[in-house]
Amino acid sequence: MMADLMLEVKNLSGGYDDLIIVKNISLNVYSGQVVSVTGRNGVGKSTLMKLISGSLKLSDGTVFVLNQDVRSIAKHKRLKMGCLLYTSPSPRDATLS
């Protein structure tokens, strides 16, 4: 019996504004699998997770969680599903008082 497809990422690219950090990533995660993303600082691990969770806008590609396009799932539903990451304000949004 084949395990259920939980996460499908196809040709994912994205980053911040015009700066593309993650380029052309594809992966499948099936029920029961444990997957880790490793790498040195600054290579795009957090950006990848933010793109997958829908916290950052994709430049290209698709992300499906339980066969649903992550962009079509409301934030409160993604949070209940466990696929919404907290994103801190951008340094550009910081102000001094």
Side-chain angles (χ1 to χ4, degrees):
M1 185 173 141
M2 186 75 164
D4 292 332
L5 182 59
M6 304 298 287
L7 173 68
E8 181 179 23
V9 177
K10 290 183 182 179
N11 305 317
L12 178 89
S13 295
Y16 303 92
D17 298 322
D18 293 334
L19 181 60
I20 303 300
I21 305 294
V22 175
K23 298 177 186 174
N24 200 29
I25 300 293
S26 295
L27 64 97
N28 291 332
V29 179
Y30 294 90
S31 177
Q33 279 188 310
V34 176
V35 177
S36 69
V37 177
T38 62
R40 60 181 171 71
N41 291 347
V43 297
K45 299 176 301 292
S46 295
T47 302
L48 173 63
M49 297 308 295
K50 289 175 185 177
L51 289 163
I52 289 173
S53 72
S55 298
L56 280 178
K57 186 177 177 186
L58 305 178
S59 298
D60 197 15
T62 57
V63 176
F64 289 90
V65 176
L66 300 173
N67 295 317
Q68 286 187 283
D69 188 324
V70 74
R71 294 170 290 189
S72 71
I73 305 170
K75 281 187 180 183
H76 71 278
K77 289 184 180 178
R78 282 185 274 147
L79 182 60
K80 284 185 178 182
M81 295 169 73
C83 65
L84 181 65
L85 301 176
Y86 169 76
T87 55
S88 58
S90 165
R92 292 183 208 142
D93 298 330
T95 59
L96 296 175
S97 328

